[in-house]
Amino acid sequence: MNNIIIKNAHVNNLKNINAEIEFNKLTILVGPSGSGKSSFAFDTLIKKEKCEIINYPESIKSISQRISSTGEKLDAILKISDVENSLIIIDEPLAGTTREEAIKFSKIIKKLADKNAVVVVEHRSEIFEFADTIFVFGPESGPNGGELINKLTGVEYLNTLPKIDITRKKNISNKRITALYREFAGINDYKVEITLNTITAITGPSKSGKSTYLDAIFRSLDKSVGASERRKGLIEVKNKNYIRRPHIIDASPVTKNSKSTVATYYGISKFFKDKDMNITVKEALNIYANDNLITRRLIHLNDIGLDYLKLSQPSYTLSGGECQRIKLAKLLCKKLGDRSVYIFDNPVRGLGTINISKVMIMFDNLVKNNNTVLIAENDPTALEFVDKIIEL
């Protein structure tokens, strides 16, 4: 099969990308969130938008961004294990996997590349040693990204990865909340526990029950309207008085309103003229540095690595990882105080090492302000920042 040649790809933030995808090779797309990886993979290679492509293959297989479940994504990869002479695009296949799962599926994906051209968007380092080619997008995100800044082998790229200096003081606590259900999600005598004033990670392979564990904790502590109905089967909760409220933040869309933007979601659109809405969060913080209201609303987006988002960006275009982070940032704007439990399912999905550290440091700051953070997460970098691990 002839190699696929891409010329002048300029959809979204891509800046006239020229590249060549080789058959019988595994190509990995890396770079910061919002740097153009997914635009290249899905809008360029699949939709063929705003580009010229030579030697485009007849057969295309895509395991898309819309499959958020780790188990479903891994099942989809296994279903195409016998495909040949195709262009195969896979979005973040290792997100949410344990290290052992990541290595196993990296080998399966590498084998797919023996008879196909395989392109993978991925941040997990386990797959890099299997890569023939790494396309590095950047240098930053949004309008400051969209460039193909380097092309390396997998081994070369591994040697460029930054070392994260984790110098924080570990959180230690003896306070615990336990909950016992007569039956939960089909499991009899289901017991869950959380150590307060820590970052606790629930880890385990796909389908081991991590999300179920988070849900059980949240329901046992929930005090909102209708909570009693959601607590059916709950026998007892010990030490519930230690906290005020739980907050569960998932990766679902931030709104169903098709007209929603980052600015309207934050309730600040009325403070900007239409021509100002095309600026980024970072630019807005510089321009309106003396406006306490705008600064307070946007500073958390900056701190959590979303400074590249435009105020006019439609909410429906946000990725799952961006949705979780933007929900957290909005929650923090409300100054909710202490003694809260923040619950996240795969909070660093789709993030590189630098942004993972930003998210985990923000979690650590929450804990050091007398809160608790509970995450379901297998990412090795994120786990370096946690205080306690519960393996399922």
Side-chain angles (χ1 to χ4, degrees):
M1 296 289 290
N2 293 320
N3 292 340
I4 305 166
I5 300 171
I6 298 97
K7 293 184 178 181
N8 192 32
H10 57 283
V11 67
N12 299 328
N13 68 333
L14 296 181
K15 297 178 174 64
N16 302 318
I17 301 297
N18 297 300
E20 190 170 333
I21 305 297
E22 299 179 79
F23 265 84
N24 310 122
K25 296 290 179 67
L26 172 58
T27 301
I28 311 291
L29 311 183
V30 302
S33 176
S35 61
K37 305 181 302 296
S38 295
S39 291
F40 183 77
F42 294 93
D43 297 308
T44 298
L45 292 180
I46 294 179
K47 298 179 182 178
K48 297 185 283 187
E49 292 185 13
K50 297 184 179 181
C51 66
E52 178 187 353
I53 300 183
I54 301 172
N55 300 326
Y56 196 72
E58 293 182 2
S59 177
I60 311 292
K61 301 291 181 183
S62 169
I63 298 176
S64 80
Q65 302 156 299
R66 295 177 181 174
I67 304 176
S68 58
S69 163
T70 301
E72 289 179 18
K73 191 162 287 189
L74 299 183
D75 288 343
I77 293 171
L78 292 174
K79 287 179 182 177
I80 61 171
S81 59
D82 295 327
V83 168
E84 297 182 13
N85 300 322
S86 296
L87 169 61
I88 300 174
I89 313 288
I90 309 175
D91 183 59
E92 296 181 18
L94 307 184
T97 62
T98 63
R99 177 169 173 76
E100 292 74 19
E101 287 178 317
I103 293 172
K104 173 186 174 182
F105 279 93
S106 293
K107 291 178 179 178
I108 292 172
I109 292 167
K110 175 63 174 174
K111 190 170 179 60
L112 269 177
D114 289 344
K115 297 180 180 180
N116 302 280
V118 179
V119 178
V120 176
V121 178
E122 188 54 79
H123 293 277
R124 290 284 293 269
S125 61
E126 291 89 346
I127 199 171
F128 296 149
E129 66 180 279
F130 299 96
D132 298 292
T133 306
I134 303 278
F135 285 170
V136 184
F137 286 80
E140 298 180 24
S141 305
N144 297 317
E147 299 178 28
L148 184 54
I149 61 174
N150 215 339
K151 179 182 176 182
L152 305 167
T153 66
V155 173
E156 288 172 339
Y157 182 68
L158 279 169
N159 291 330
T160 71
L161 294 178
K163 300 290 190 297
I164 300 298
D165 182 21
I166 304 170
T167 57
R168 75 185 183 99
K169 183 179 179 181
K170 193 168 184 178
N171 304 296
I172 299 173
S173 172
N174 293 319
K175 292 182 179 180
R176 290 180 174 81
I177 291 178
T178 59
L180 177 64
Y181 289 85
R182 183 176 297 104
E183 184 273 336
F184 192 87
I187 305 170
N188 293 327
D189 300 321
Y190 189 68
K191 183 179 181 180
V192 289
E193 178 181 279
I194 182 172
T195 302
L196 298 180
N197 305 118
T198 65
I199 305 174
T200 298
I202 311 299
T203 69
S206 172
K207 302 177 183 178
S208 61
K210 299 185 294 297
S211 298
T212 299
Y213 197 104
L214 299 187
D215 190 31
I217 287 285
F218 176 74
R219 291 178 186 235
S220 68
L221 303 176
D222 187 15
K223 301 174 183 178
S224 62
V225 176
S228 58
E229 180 67 21
R230 294 188 288 275
R231 286 198 300 267
K232 280 187 175 180
L234 182 64
I235 297 174
E236 64 174 0
V237 185
K238 292 183 179 178
N239 300 323
K240 186 177 179 178
N241 59 299
Y242 283 155
I243 72 154
R244 292 183 186 175
R245 63 179 71 83
H247 305 279
I248 192 162
I249 299 96
D250 60 21
S252 63
V254 296
T255 178
K256 294 181 180 180
N257 184 351
S258 61
K259 295 182 180 180
S260 173
T261 65
V262 171
T264 58
Y265 181 69
Y266 270 84
I268 57 174
S269 58
K270 60 186 177 183
F271 300 109
F272 298 92
K273 296 178 181 179
D274 289 342
K275 65 183 180 64
D276 291 337
M277 292 289 285
N278 208 37
I279 62 176
T280 65
V281 168
K282 184 176 183 179
E283 290 168 336
L285 285 170
N286 288 330
I287 295 170
Y288 298 93
N290 295 323
D291 190 314
N292 291 333
L293 189 149
I294 291 177
T295 299
R296 182 167 62 83
R297 294 286 180 95
L298 296 181
I299 193 63
H300 296 295
L301 285 175
N302 180 78
D303 294 344
I304 212 165
L306 293 176
D307 59 328
Y308 61 88
L309 292 179
K310 287 189 174 183
L311 299 181
S312 60
Q313 181 166 340
S315 300
Y316 68 83
T317 65
L318 298 172
S319 69
E322 288 171 333
C323 285
Q324 282 205 93
R325 285 186 287 159
I326 202 171
K327 288 176 185 177
L328 171 62
K330 185 175 182 180
L331 196 61
L332 294 175
C333 291
K334 298 179 180 179
K335 295 184 178 180
L336 297 173
D338 60 1
R339 294 192 294 125
S340 290
V341 177
Y342 294 89
I343 303 172
F344 298 86
D345 200 346
N346 287 325
V348 303
R349 186 187 195 105
L351 301 185
T353 305
I354 299 299
N355 278 330
I356 289 173
S357 65
K358 288 181 179 179
V359 171
M360 298 307 295
I361 288 169
M362 182 169 276
F363 288 168
D364 192 56
N365 289 336
L366 282 172
V367 169
K368 285 180 168 51
N369 282 294
N370 198 27
N371 295 292
T372 301
V373 174
L374 177 65
I375 63 176
E377 189 57 71
N378 285 318
D379 187 278
T381 300
L383 294 182
E384 291 289 330
F385 288 84
V386 307
D387 305 301
K388 182 179 176 63
I389 294 176
I390 299 174
E391 296 185 26
L392 299 184

